[in-house]
Amino acid sequence: MPFGVKETLTYVGWLLDSRRVQAASIENYLAGIRVAHMKAGHSVPVLRPDIVQTILRGAANKDELTKKLLGKPPRLCMIITKMELLKCQISMSNMTLSKKRLMWLVSTLCFNGSFRIHEICSRERNTYDPTACLLWSDIKLEKMKDHDSTSRVLKIHLRNPKEQKLAQGVTVELFETGNFLCPVSAFLKWKACSRVHLSKGKPAIRLDSGENYTGKDFNRDLKQLLSPYVNYQKGTISSHSFRSGLASLMATLGYSDLDIMTIGRWKSEV
């Protein structure tokens, strides 16, 4: 350290050629290197210049083609009917009430906000990265007045969003919907029954034990609840299915590609 373009290209080339690492994993490794630079007191390096992004896009396309050739099941999109099924399965499960409401909160946040799972949940049970993890201080519930009515909005501040490496991060607003998918209602119900001490400097999404509820935990619980109804050999449902769910719904309702990309914080590759 510190990394420059040469070091980054050498590292990425080694991962692809010698280690046979997939593009998605390389993205995670680069994020780790960025944090390592920060902890060592170095200036945060630009680890994804245009040439690296081009290489990773090509590698990602190759990975997807390989999966198709090997017959690996595609990832399914989370749709409204599957959200209804998931809520029903959560309700009938033997989880504690707090765990049920926590899982449903994560589900509604990921669906309504098109979040990546690790923008909401920690990667590890007992440790977390304070520069990227969603902390309790990153969640704000505010009231909004519209003419004669008042509604509530849940503001989620992402410290280190993947698509925008900005010092101030990005705030995503989730509005009260009044239906079973309402993220505001899910948040308030979980908060009312959670026994975890909600400290500003600690991760927001935690179990009553105080341990972090990780993305791996969520995907495991998701598969356990839905596998009786979803053939995972033909198509899988994971945390990333929620991110594409809102986009798919908006497309069916006639929203423009620009509107969909804005909501999901996607960038055009053109």
Side-chain angles (χ1 to χ4, degrees):
M1 293 190 292
F3 267 38
V5 175
K6 179 180 178 181
E7 289 78 11
T8 303
L9 286 173
T10 301
Y11 179 59
V12 170
W14 173 72
L15 289 174
L16 288 172
D17 186 57
S18 299
R19 295 290 303 277
R20 299 289 191 264
V21 177
Q22 292 194 349
S25 296
I26 295 176
E27 291 278 8
N28 292 333
Y29 293 167
L30 291 178
I33 289 176
R34 181 177 184 274
V35 173
H37 275 73
M38 295 171 65
K39 289 183 176 179
H42 295 291
S43 297
V44 179
V46 179
L47 297 175
R48 295 177 182 82
D50 290 344
I51 185 171
V52 173
Q53 290 182 357
T54 300
I55 291 172
L56 292 179
R57 282 198 298 270
N61 291 337
K62 180 182 177 182
D63 293 340
E64 288 300 318
L65 179 60
T66 300
K67 290 179 182 178
K68 290 180 180 179
L69 292 175
L70 293 175
K72 291 187 177 181
R75 182 191 298 123
L76 300 176
C77 177
M78 179 57 78
I79 57 177
I80 298 294
T81 53
K82 285 190 175 70
M83 287 293 285
E84 291 175 330
L85 172 63
L86 176 60
K87 185 176 175 79
C88 181
Q89 288 298 99
I90 291 175
S91 298
M92 293 189 300
S93 73
N94 59 2
M95 298 177 185
T96 64
L97 178 61
S98 178
K99 174 71 178 294
K100 290 178 181 181
R101 291 184 174 179
L102 179 63
M103 187 178 181
W104 183 243
L105 171 61
V106 173
S107 301
T108 57
L109 290 179
C110 288
F111 185 86
N112 288 280
S114 287
F115 291 118
R116 301 172 181 89
I117 189 60
H118 290 121
E119 292 176 333
I120 300 298
C121 296
S122 300
R123 294 182 182 275
E124 303 293 337
R125 272 282 184 99
N126 298 303
T127 61
Y128 65 97
D129 176 5
T131 67
C133 183
L134 181 71
L135 306 180
W136 179 246
S137 57
D138 296 323
I139 302 178
K140 304 291 184 185
L141 181 61
E142 298 180 1
K143 291 184 178 181
M144 292 184 57
K145 286 189 176 181
D146 183 17
H147 301 295
D148 296 329
S149 62
T150 301
S151 61
R152 293 169 294 189
V153 57
L154 196 62
K155 294 186 177 182
I156 307 294
H157 180 72
L158 303 180
R159 294 171 174 268
N160 189 20
K162 180 179 179 181
E163 71 284 347
Q164 288 181 288
K165 301 301 179 183
L166 303 176
Q168 68 273 22
V170 171
T171 297
V172 179
E173 296 181 340
L174 304 179
F175 296 91
E176 195 169 16
T177 63
N179 57 26
F180 84 101
L181 287 171
C182 181
V184 174
S185 175
F187 171 74
L188 291 174
K189 287 183 178 181
W190 166 71
K191 184 182 175 184
C193 73
S194 175
R195 296 180 181 178
V196 70
H197 178 62
L198 300 174
S199 174
K200 289 185 177 181
K202 291 187 177 181
I205 306 301
R206 286 184 290 152
L207 301 164
D208 282 348
S209 64
E211 292 181 309
N212 301 325
Y213 185 53
T214 68
K216 184 178 180 180
D217 292 333
F218 179 73
N219 278 320
R220 183 200 62 232
D221 291 338
L222 194 64
K223 184 174 182 179
Q224 183 177 357
L225 292 173
L226 295 182
S227 56
Y229 304 93
V230 177
N231 188 342
Y232 273 72
Q233 293 183 341
K234 293 185 178 180
T236 63
I237 292 182
S238 67
S239 58
H240 209 71
S241 299
F242 293 82
R243 179 161 166 75
S244 59
L246 183 60
S248 176
L249 177 61
M250 291 178 68
T252 61
L253 294 175
Y255 284 86
S256 69
D257 290 345
L258 180 60
D259 289 335
I260 295 173
M261 290 172 65
T262 299
I263 291 295
R265 294 169 285 124
W266 281 287
K267 287 186 178 181
S268 174
E269 301 293 346
V270 179

